[in-house]
């Protein structure tokens, strides 16, 4: 059992989160099962974990990741990852709305699928890929874990471990910050009933996810070799790591048999019609900049890359990353000078347009930034990134009423974006509208799954703020709604504990 716990600590969130599937994998498969027979798709997973229970676990974990700033809250990068997932989902048995994609603030090369269709892609994985098909291959693999109900099926294999226990393992691992002792304690308490049970389901699940993912890649006009080529590259690089394997090889073990089968399946699609997005190389550099902790070193990295160009020709992706890095250290005029020609040459590029508008805004040229964003709104009317950048410019540009009117007319954005709610709270505060400010800040917390601070804030507002009768009734109704939502998302006991703990700070 000690060996099991050590292995679990390695695979469970050693620096972030690999995911429940990986954790349950190592907990329940210490031995040497050799049978790679794939389980049938029609297993009665609902008998052990319903879709609603899976979604509950996923929402709990995402809330914890947000609370600990482990998700990169960049709308543009998330929008791009969602576009890949949506394209793949069109060729699966599930609707695109069944999945949610999150960029994870980690340089580790990994990705994970949570119950309920919540998929995390580490920024380090994005930057390590060389083609969009490689990135899509990993995303498609994780989506297959979701569509095939692998987590519920793994719980079935582990004597019906309940969803509450599964959630406790994940949340405790996150709360432990990756500390092996905290993870081991959580696992010991949660899976003590497993004993020395051995199962080969996990390896079978990996094969199944490969098979379905490759088929989906080809159907979505990505290169079906993308998945196999990326895992093969990681396997080759592992020889350089020694005992420090890339995280993705710990959570997705790659064997010669698995690689051979993946390559063979890719050959079933001999003449793929490959379509890759022009946004991919730009978003890869965006991920590199967003996860960087050493901006000075990052600027020097880009300067060296630009100097090393063999043909002396500009590289759009490298220049984009360089401009983003310059903006982050306050050199916005230089960033704008780099970006402006690319916007002129690529008028349909949302990434270049938003980067240049931001550089202008940060440099104080808000008039030019506003003109660009108003044009972008017409060009990309459905883009949350464009909408939020425009609203942010209005808020920062001392036009709060325009920002408020713009945000309130977009119900879809308000229902999905915590940032939009927070901007409305900021605007209400500027206008000294306390009732509205408290309401919107509570909605901000709600969209992040942070019910405890929402409840405490509303209680404080009702007890101390000078509110009119309408605002009091509105906030009381929202408080009741938040309490019910908290009980539903966790349990009444856990909700009370979280509210009490939050009130101490």
């Amino acid at each position: 059992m000690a060996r099991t716990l050590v292995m679990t600590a390695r695979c469970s969130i050693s620096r972030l989160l690999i995911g429940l599937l990986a954790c349950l994998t190592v907990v329940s498969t210490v031995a040497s099962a050799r049978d790679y027979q794939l389980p049938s798709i029609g297993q009665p997973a609902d008998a052990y974990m319903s879709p609603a229970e899976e979604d509950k676990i996923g929402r709990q974990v995402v809330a914890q990741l947000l609370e600990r700033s482990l998700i990169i809250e960049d709308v543009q990068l998330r929008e791009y990852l969602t576009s890949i997932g949506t394209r793949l989902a069109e060729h699966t048995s599930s609707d695109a709305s069944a999945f949610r994609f999150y960029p994870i603030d980690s340089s580790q090369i990994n990705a994970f699928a949570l119950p309920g269709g919540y998929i995390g892609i580490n920024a380090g994985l994005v930057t390590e890929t060389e083609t969009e098909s490689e990135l899509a291959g990993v995303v498609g693999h994780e989506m297959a874990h979701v569509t095939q109900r692998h987590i519920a099926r793994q719980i079935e294999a582990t004597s019906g471990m309940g969803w509450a226990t599964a959630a406790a393992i994940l949340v405790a691992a996150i709360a432990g910050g990756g500390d092996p002792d905290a993870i081991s304690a959580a696992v010991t308490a949660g899976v003590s009933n497993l004993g020395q049970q051995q199962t080969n389901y996990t390896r079978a699940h990996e094969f199944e996810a490969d098979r379905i993912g490759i088929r989906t890649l080809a159907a979505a006009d990505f290169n079906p070799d993308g998945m196999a080529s990326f895992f093969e590259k990681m396997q080759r690089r592992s020889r350089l790591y020694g005992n420090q394997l890339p995280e993705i090889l710990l959570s997705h073990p790659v064997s010669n048999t698995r690689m051979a089968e993946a390559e063979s399946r890719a050959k079933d699609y001999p003449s793929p019609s490959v379509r890759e997005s022009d946004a991919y190389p730009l978003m890869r550099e965006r991920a590199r900049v967003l996860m960087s902790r050493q901006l000075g070193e990052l600027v020097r990295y880009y300067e060296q890359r630009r100097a090393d160009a063999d043909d002396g020709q500009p590289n759009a992706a490298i220049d984009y990353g360089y401009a983003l890095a310059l903006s982050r250290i306050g050199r916005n005029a230089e960033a704008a000078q780099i970006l402006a020609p690319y916007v002129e040459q690529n008028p349909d590029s949302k990434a270049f347009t938003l980067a240049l508008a931001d550089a202008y805004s940060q440099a104080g040229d808000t008039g030019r930034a506003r003109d660009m964003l108003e044009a972008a709104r017409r060009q990309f009317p459905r883009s949350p990134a464009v909408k939020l950048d425009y609203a942010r410019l209005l808020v920062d540009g001392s036009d709060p009423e325009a920002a408020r009117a713009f945000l309130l007319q977009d119900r879809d954005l308000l229902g999905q974006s915590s940032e939009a709610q927070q901007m409305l709270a900021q605007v209400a505060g500027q206008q000294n509208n306390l009732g509205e400010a408290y309401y919107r800040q509570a909605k901000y917390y709600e969209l992040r799954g942070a019910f405890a601070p929402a409840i405490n804030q509303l209680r404080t507002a009702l007890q101390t703020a000078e509110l009119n009768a309408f605002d009091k009734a509105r906030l009381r109704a929202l408080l009741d709604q938040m309490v019910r939502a908290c009980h539903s998302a966790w349990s009444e006991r856990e909700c009370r504990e979280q509210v009490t703990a939050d009130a101490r700070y």
Side-chain angles (χ1 to χ4, degrees):
M1 188 63 172
R3 178 168 177 263
T4 301
L5 295 177
V6 170
M7 293 174 71
T8 303
R10 289 184 65 195
C11 86
S12 300
I13 316 189
S14 53
R15 291 176 179 80
L16 178 55
L17 171 68
I18 292 175
L20 178 61
L21 181 62
C23 296
L24 294 179
T25 292
V26 181
V27 169
S28 59
T29 58
V30 183
S32 57
R34 303 282 182 191
D35 180 12
Y36 289 91
Q37 181 66 37
L38 294 180
S40 63
I41 294 177
Q43 283 185 293
D46 284 353
Y48 295 90
M49 181 185 291
S50 70
E53 290 167 342
E54 288 189 76
D55 185 67
K56 185 170 184 174
I57 294 174
R59 284 188 286 111
Q60 286 182 358
V61 176
V62 168
Q64 296 287 320
L65 293 173
L66 284 167
E67 182 183 354
R68 289 161 176 78
S69 300
L70 296 176
I71 289 175
I72 297 176
E73 296 190 62
D74 182 80
V75 181
Q76 197 174 163
L77 181 56
R78 185 180 174 194
E79 192 174 306
Y80 168 71
L81 294 175
T82 299
S83 72
I84 292 180
T86 299
R87 181 172 157 186
L88 292 168
E90 291 175 353
H91 303 278
T92 70
S93 59
S94 297
D95 187 81
S97 62
F99 304 96
R100 293 174 179 82
F101 302 90
Y102 297 90
I104 303 300
D105 193 6
S106 172
S107 61
Q108 296 298 318
I109 304 166
N110 212 349
F112 57 85
L114 294 172
Y118 300 86
I119 293 175
I121 301 103
N122 286 12
L125 184 141
V126 178
T127 61
E128 194 67 21
T129 58
E130 294 180 1
T131 67
E132 189 172 45
S133 291
E134 287 188 349
L135 176 57
V138 177
V139 174
H141 177 95
E142 299 303 331
M143 290 172 68
H145 281 313
V146 173
T147 61
Q148 302 313 108
R149 307 288 306 282
H150 282 164
I151 295 175
R153 287 158 60 181
Q154 185 65 36
I155 290 175
E156 175 193 5
T158 54
S159 299
M161 180 197 302
W163 67 265
T165 300
I169 293 173
L170 273 174
V171 173
I174 296 169
D179 177 68
D181 291 336
I183 295 170
S184 296
V187 172
T188 299
V191 298
S192 59
N193 63 315
L194 296 182
Q196 297 298 312
Q197 181 179 358
Q198 301 169 0
T199 174
N200 62 313
Y201 273 13
T202 300
R203 281 180 278 187
H205 289 166
E206 289 298 300
F207 273 73
E208 188 173 35
D210 288 348
R211 172 173 60 81
I212 294 172
I214 290 169
R215 183 181 67 198
T216 305
L217 272 183
D221 290 336
F222 289 109
N223 189 336
D225 285 320
M227 183 189 301
S229 68
F230 184 72
F231 280 110
E232 184 177 12
K233 180 170 65 179
M234 290 297 97
Q235 190 179 42
R236 288 198 306 269
R237 285 189 53 184
S238 68
R239 298 168 190 158
L240 304 176
Y241 282 76
N243 292 328
Q244 299 298 315
L245 291 175
E247 293 287 340
I248 199 165
L249 295 185
L250 294 175
S251 59
H252 302 76
V254 177
S255 65
N256 290 333
T257 301
R258 182 180 171 196
M259 287 304 309
E261 181 168 321
E263 291 172 0
S264 175
R265 290 191 180 280
K267 291 177 182 177
D268 290 340
Y269 311 93
S271 301
S273 175
V274 177
R275 292 186 296 110
E276 297 205 340
S277 166
D278 292 338
Y280 162 73
L282 304 181
M283 292 301 101
R284 181 178 59 191
E285 298 311 313
R286 188 174 188 86
R288 192 187 312 278
V289 173
L290 290 171
M291 74 176 178
S292 175
R293 301 292 184 272
Q294 302 293 331
L295 292 177
E297 291 183 10
L298 184 66
V299 168
R300 288 190 290 274
Y301 162 82
Y302 281 119
E303 289 173 343
Q304 189 63 51
R305 288 290 304 274
R306 298 176 91 212
D308 289 345
D310 293 336
D311 55 8
Q313 295 298 314
N315 181 302
I318 295 302
D319 286 350
Y320 174 77
Y322 183 45
L324 293 183
L326 289 175
S327 285
R328 291 192 70 185
I329 61 173
R331 292 164 60 180
N332 292 288
E334 295 173 66
Q337 188 174 12
I338 292 170
L339 292 165
Y342 285 108
V343 172
E344 185 175 348
Q345 297 162 16
N346 304 275
D348 294 331
S349 172
K350 181 168 54 181
F352 278 124
T353 297
L354 292 182
L356 180 57
D358 182 64
Y360 283 147
S361 176
Q362 296 302 319
D365 192 350
T366 55
R368 188 180 296 184
R370 184 165 179 168
D371 288 343
M372 289 191 68
L373 289 174
E374 286 177 345
R377 282 178 53 207
R378 294 189 293 271
Q379 189 172 9
F380 310 102
R382 299 173 64 88
S383 169
V386 171
K387 294 176 183 178
L388 290 171
D389 277 9
Y390 179 68
R392 192 179 304 112
L393 181 70
L394 294 178
V395 173
D396 294 342
S398 299
D399 196 352
E401 190 55 43
R404 181 175 183 275
F406 172 70
L407 290 170
L408 287 177
Q409 55 85 34
D410 196 328
R411 292 188 178 183
D412 288 341
L413 186 66
L414 286 178
Q416 299 170 7
S417 171
S418 61
E419 185 178 356
Q421 295 287 357
Q422 191 171 49
M423 280 193 278
L424 281 176
Q426 182 180 346
V427 167
Q430 292 172 357
Q431 298 176 330
N432 201 30
N433 187 345
L434 293 183
E436 174 72 0
Y438 278 117
Y439 181 89
R440 294 299 171 184
Q441 190 65 21
K443 297 294 287 184
Y444 161 80
Y445 286 128
E446 178 189 29
L447 287 173
R448 300 169 69 83
F451 297 105
I455 290 169
N456 281 323
Q457 179 188 247
L458 290 169
R459 285 178 172 173
T460 299
L462 288 167
Q463 292 170 2
T464 63
E466 295 183 6
L467 303 171
N468 59 38
F470 171 80
D471 284 335
K472 287 182 179 179
R474 189 186 190 202
L475 294 185
R476 284 196 191 99
L478 184 60
L479 176 59
D480 291 341
Q481 176 187 321
M482 291 294 175
V483 170
R484 289 194 299 270
C486 187
H487 292 174
S488 175
W490 297 85
S491 70
E492 184 173 351
R493 178 186 59 80
E494 289 171 312
C495 184
R496 289 182 184 278
E497 291 174 352
Q498 291 175 19
V499 170
T500 300
D502 177 77
R504 296 174 186 153
Y505 296 97

